[in-house]
Amino acid sequence: MQFSFRMPVAVQVLLCIAKFDGVFKTTSTFLASSVNVNPVIIRKTLGQLKAAGLVEVAAGVGGAKLVKEPCDITLKEIFGAVEDDEDLFHIQEHPNPQCPVGRNIHKVLGDKLSVIKNHMLEDFANITLEDLLEDIHNAEQSR
């Protein structure tokens, strides 16, 4: 199974905004060069992050800025801003109701996947953008 790449892109965008604040204008073109995707994807991501109250975006070439401190932005918030967590795990919508496995798969597997998702979100709530900025700093120091 492969998860969406929206959250990792959003995290990278926020890390770039935090790291390069005051150094470079963090425009969609600049951010796209870090993520190595089309600026259109970055603009959509910035729109989602703005709607979630995590960034403000100046029109034109003004760039983006964090609305909160990195220590106050969690991976859970970022995930909620860009992912539809209802589709995190997708179980076949119409399994065979005549099969004992098919008719029970939503209840049996759905409950387990819900627990897994909740544990993941709890873990995400304990990791901040500041934690990741420190990890980037440490990775650069050990280079």
Side-chain angles (χ1 to χ4, degrees):
M1 177 187 314
Q2 185 174 0
F3 289 102
S4 164
F5 79 111
R6 288 184 298 266
M7 183 185 166
V9 166
V11 170
Q12 188 170 347
V13 163
L14 291 169
L15 287 168
C16 283
I17 292 170
K19 182 156 182 63
F20 298 116
D21 184 40
V23 179
F24 298 106
K25 285 188 179 181
T26 51
T27 64
S28 58
T29 302
F30 176 82
L31 296 167
S33 70
S34 173
V35 182
N36 202 23
V37 296
N38 190 298
V40 171
I41 293 171
I42 301 302
R43 284 191 287 278
K44 179 179 180 186
T45 303
L46 286 171
Q48 292 171 308
L49 295 170
K50 181 179 177 183
L54 299 176
V55 299
E56 59 184 28
V57 182
V61 294
K65 294 204 177 294
L66 296 181
V67 173
K68 298 170 143 187
E69 292 298 317
C71 63
D72 295 325
I73 299 173
T74 66
L75 289 185
K76 183 177 180 181
E77 286 181 281
I78 300 167
F79 179 85
V82 298
E83 296 287 356
D84 178 5
D85 70 345
E86 294 303 314
D87 289 336
L88 185 60
F89 298 107
H90 186 76
I91 301 173
Q92 206 303 36
E93 289 180 30
H94 304 289
N96 183 350
Q98 303 304 315
C99 172
V101 174
R103 84 174 142 257
N104 292 299
I105 193 68
H106 282 269
K107 175 70 177 145
V108 172
L109 186 57
D111 289 349
K112 304 293 186 265
L113 294 177
S114 180
V115 168
I116 292 167
K117 179 182 83 172
N118 288 336
H119 284 297
M120 180 191 75
L121 292 175
E122 287 172 16
D123 288 344
F124 281 179
N126 293 316
I127 301 169
T128 67
L129 202 60
E130 182 68 30
D131 297 329
L132 299 177
L133 284 166
E134 288 175 22
D135 291 345
I136 288 174
H137 176 75
N138 292 337
E140 285 297 305
Q141 295 301 312
S142 66
R143 221 170 155 223

